[in-house]
Amino acid sequence: MLNLLFITIGLTLLILGGNWLLRSAVAFSLRLNISRIIIGMTIVSFATSAPELIVSVNAALDGFPDLALSNVVGSNIANLGLVLAIIVLLGRIDVRKAFYITDWPVMMAASLLFFGFIYFDGILHPYEGAIMVLFLFLFLIFLLRFQKTAVVEEVHEDDRPLPLYKAVLFLGLGGIALWGGAELLVKGSVGLATFYEVSERVIGITVVSVGTSIPELAASVIAIIKKEKAISLGNLIGSNIFNLLAVLGVTSMIAPIYVIDQGLLNSDIWWMLGISFVILPLVFFPKGLRLGWRDGIILLSLYSVFLYFTLF
């Protein structure tokens, strides 16, 4: 009963936090005259990736490296296979060429960098984590200086910049609510899963990863309902980049991360690369530079197959 209470309160906080974070992001984009997808790929992505960072650092320090790794890998799979699928089922997203020139290639580069570091020796060393954090830092510099909008943004006549103190307040409240909500949701979910004696890797790749992806789902669904499509797509792409480069980078700098369950290397990491890659052809086919409900069905189907093979 206590675990169910944690889950309920966690979901409530995540919904509130997603709304507050969205209001802050829109306010900053208007005040600073910055493209909303950049705000989504920086401020919103970092805040919604905070649960993964907290869970992964704690797991690594507590001697559960598989939970740290499977949390991030599973979260990246869930962000695209589950969250993005739900988003495009709710409404079509039109994208511009900056998406496949910059955003998607950087996400794939981060995925391949992580793959190269972890696959051959099964260890993510501190110096490799430092390289990943440096890569993220250089990407953010490029993003803020040169990136053009990657999503067709809709103009809202009622867009008025919030006072600065309110924008900062909503940012802080949103981040805290998302973090607290994710912590409660994960605690409740892991409590239920542990009761059924599910392995550490399976818990991380399914229950924990979905739980820590709820902030992305909450922020992105609220964004798409409010027609902030640029923030919605940018949040997911940016979150996957942050998860790999910041979460695993920082975690491995604190303590080396070791692969214990080989299923993570033999299956999970390949699913992450595959679903990340498939986003590009879906953007172009059957109609160019858009993601629609058919793409959502494909992504959701892939995620369902992934869950089936992981659990059974």
Side-chain angles (χ1 to χ4, degrees):
M1 183 62 70
L2 186 60
N3 288 324
L4 291 175
L5 180 62
F6 285 155
I7 292 173
T8 302
I9 296 174
L11 285 172
T12 302
L13 286 174
L14 290 168
I15 293 171
L16 291 173
N19 191 33
W20 290 333
L21 207 63
L22 175 64
R23 292 189 65 180
S24 173
V26 173
F28 277 115
S29 68
L30 290 170
R31 180 173 293 276
L32 301 176
N33 196 28
I34 296 175
S35 171
R36 287 174 183 168
I37 194 167
I38 294 179
I39 295 293
M41 293 184 71
T42 53
I43 296 173
V44 180
S45 296
F46 183 79
T48 55
S49 290
E52 283 89 345
L53 178 60
I54 295 165
V55 169
S56 294
V57 170
N58 288 342
L61 291 177
D62 292 341
F64 301 105
D66 267 4
L67 186 58
L69 282 171
S70 59
N71 171 36
V72 170
V73 173
S75 206
N76 278 22
I77 295 171
N79 280 349
L80 299 179
L82 177 64
V83 178
L84 182 59
I86 292 173
I87 289 169
V88 295
L89 285 172
L90 291 174
R92 187 186 73 192
I93 295 179
D94 296 318
V95 301
R96 291 177 176 165
K97 68 177 183 179
F99 170 79
Y100 62 85
I101 290 177
T102 304
D103 305 335
W104 180 86
V106 171
M107 181 180 69
M108 286 304 303
S111 301
L112 292 171
L113 182 65
F114 164 65
F115 175 85
F117 283 158
I118 197 75
Y119 185 76
F120 299 101
D121 62 1
I123 306 172
L124 198 58
H125 297 279
Y127 75 88
E128 293 172 331
I131 293 173
M132 295 169 75
V133 172
L134 177 62
F135 185 83
L136 175 64
F137 180 71
L138 294 175
F139 166 64
L140 290 178
I141 291 176
F142 170 81
L143 189 70
L144 293 172
R145 292 195 59 174
F146 303 109
Q147 173 73 308
K148 295 181 179 179
T149 182
V151 176
V152 178
E153 299 181 2
E154 299 184 17
V155 177
H156 305 290
E157 294 180 359
D158 59 346
D159 279 348
R160 296 184 181 90
L162 290 172
L164 183 59
Y165 78 92
K166 282 191 177 180
V168 174
L169 178 63
F170 280 127
L171 177 63
L173 289 175
I176 292 171
L178 288 171
W179 173 78
E183 283 288 294
L184 288 173
L185 183 65
V186 170
K187 186 174 183 178
S189 300
V190 171
L192 290 177
T194 303
F195 178 77
Y196 292 102
E197 299 182 349
V198 182
S199 73
E200 178 187 321
R201 167 186 157 257
V202 172
I203 291 174
I205 207 75
T206 55
V207 178
V208 178
S209 66
V210 171
T212 53
S213 287
I214 291 293
E216 284 86 351
L217 178 61
S220 295
V221 167
I222 291 170
I224 203 75
I225 290 173
K226 294 189 175 182
K227 301 185 184 301
E228 302 292 351
K229 297 178 181 179
I231 289 177
S232 180
L233 182 62
N235 172 36
L236 294 177
I237 298 297
S239 185
N240 276 19
I241 295 170
F242 269 87
N243 283 348
L244 291 169
L245 300 181
V247 175
L248 289 181
V250 170
T251 302
S252 62
M253 288 172 67
I254 295 173
I257 305 176
Y258 298 85
V259 175
I260 297 176
D261 189 335
Q262 292 300 309
L264 193 129
L265 297 180
N266 296 332
S267 174
D268 303 338
I269 198 170
W270 293 102
W271 275 99
M272 183 190 75
L273 289 173
I275 290 183
S276 297
F277 175 80
V278 82
I279 298 299
L280 186 64
L282 288 180
V283 165
F284 287 98
F285 301 104
K287 295 182 179 180
L289 296 178
R290 68 181 60 181
L291 289 169
W293 65 269
R294 293 181 183 87
D295 305 307
I297 292 175
I298 293 172
L299 290 172
L300 207 55
S301 299
L302 288 173
Y303 188 69
S304 300
V305 173
F306 161 71
L307 285 181
Y308 176 82
F309 282 110
T310 300
L311 295 172
F312 305 104

